[in-house]
């Protein structure tokens, strides 16, 4: 059923995918296994978008499927923390409407006891400034799938620095206080350096682990 579930996700067969997720959970399967397949399927969807086989409406539809299946998984996976352990402002940066990875990140952070403020997609640097000023997060998470997003991430970091909402890297490349995490399928350490982020992850569970390490709750 695992391969069929991934196939249903990749082909954007909403009803079939949701039914199969329900059947797997009803059969007592580990929700994390279903989540792994969800990430696998949506990764292929992202690849198809990059190859111009899928388009913006397809990504939006995929996001709706993620939202529904994530809701099913959350019912089977109670919060691992009784109280919020930190606040994260999350968004896909301007000029990028890719929300598949962002939605999975939201789900995993929310599941693990973080208070997540999701700004959506195509988020202007000024909107991040407003959200950071309002919510005082420990971490700002910038998502981007397109290579064009790298410049938007850099601009967002620079804007936050100019507004005094994050510290500037010291000569050793270390930032005190609030952290910047970036993520996306094409993110590398070179991109992290270019953006001047504190860390990067291409996998939502690893992002949670890094955030907990930053907050001293790992």
């Amino acid at each position: 059923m695992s391969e069929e579930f991934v196939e249903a996700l990749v082909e954007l067969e909403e009803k079939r995918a949701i039914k199969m997720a329900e059947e797997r959970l009803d059969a007592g399967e580990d929700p994390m296994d279903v989540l792994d397949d969800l990430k696998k399927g949506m990764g292929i969807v992202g690849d198809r978008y990059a190859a111009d086989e899928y388009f913006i409406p397809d990504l939006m539809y995929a996001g709706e499927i993620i939202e529904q299946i994530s809701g099913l998984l959350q019912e089977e996976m109670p919060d691992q923390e009784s109280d919020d352990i930190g606040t994260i402002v999350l968004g896909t940066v301007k000029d990028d409407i890719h929300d598949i990875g962002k939605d999975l990140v939201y789900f995993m952070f929310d599941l693990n006891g973080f208070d997540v403020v999701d700004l959506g997609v195509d988020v202007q640097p000024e909107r991040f400034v407003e959200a950071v000023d309002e919510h005082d997060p420990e971490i700002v998470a910038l998502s981007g799938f397109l290579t064009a997003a790298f410049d938007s991430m850099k601009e967002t970091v620079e804007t936050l620095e100019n507004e005094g909402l994050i510290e500037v890297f010291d000569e050793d490349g270390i930032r005190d206080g609030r952290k910047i995490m970036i993520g996306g399928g094409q993110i590398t350490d070179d991109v992290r350096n270019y953006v001047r982020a504190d860390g990067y992850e291409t996998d939502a569970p690893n992002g949670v682990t890094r955030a907990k390490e930053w907050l001293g709750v790992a």
Side-chain angles (χ1 to χ4, degrees), residues 64-199:
E64 294 175 6
I65 296 174
I66 286 178
E67 183 176 357
Q68 293 187 68
I69 294 178
S70 294
L72 295 174
L73 295 176
Q74 194 142 22
E75 293 176 4
E76 303 295 326
M77 300 164 65
D79 290 345
Q80 297 180 17
E81 303 286 343
S82 58
D83 299 309
D84 289 330
I85 59 177
T87 300
I88 294 178
V89 166
L90 166 68
T92 300
V93 294
K94 76 170 187 176
D95 299 327
D96 195 332
I97 50 78
H98 189 263
D99 62 358
I100 292 176
K102 177 187 67 65
D103 289 347
L104 288 173
V105 168
Y106 178 94
F107 171 68
M108 287 303 300
F109 274 101
D110 182 62
L111 180 69
N112 280 271
F114 288 86
D115 179 16
V116 187
V117 180
D118 186 357
L119 303 182
V121 300
D122 192 21
V123 182
Q124 299 291 321
E126 294 75 17
R127 179 68 186 100
F128 279 104
V129 167
E130 293 171 358
V132 171
D133 189 52
E134 177 181 355
H135 298 284
D136 191 28
E138 288 83 1
I139 298 170
V140 180
L142 309 178
S143 176
F145 179 78
L146 306 174
T147 55
F150 302 161
D151 287 334
S152 295
M153 288 178 173
K154 183 179 180 66
E155 181 183 352
T156 300
V157 170
E158 290 175 345
T159 302
L160 290 169
E161 289 175 342
N162 292 337
E163 293 294 329
L165 294 172
I166 59 173
E167 298 291 331
V168 178
F169 272 174
D170 64 21
E171 60 184 14
D172 295 319
I174 303 298
R175 173 183 288 117
D176 292 330
R178 183 173 289 127
K179 303 296 186 183
I180 299 290
M181 180 184 294
I182 61 174
Q186 303 185 63
I187 301 295
T188 65
D189 197 52
D190 287 338
V191 176
R192 182 197 64 78
N193 284 326
Y194 174 71
V195 172
R196 295 203 306 276
D198 298 274

Side-chain angles (χ1 to χ4, degrees), residues 6-46:
V6 172
E7 178 187 20
L9 292 169
V10 171
E11 298 302 325
L12 303 179
E13 298 177 1
E14 178 182 15
K15 292 183 179 180
R16 180 184 174 209
I18 292 172
K19 180 180 179 181
M20 295 181 73
E22 291 174 335
E23 291 175 346
R24 293 176 67 175
L25 294 172
D26 288 345
E29 189 167 344
D30 188 341
M32 291 301 296
D33 290 338
V34 180
L35 177 61
D36 285 342
D37 287 338
L38 178 61
K39 292 189 295 183
K40 184 185 301 182
M42 289 306 166
I44 297 173
V45 170

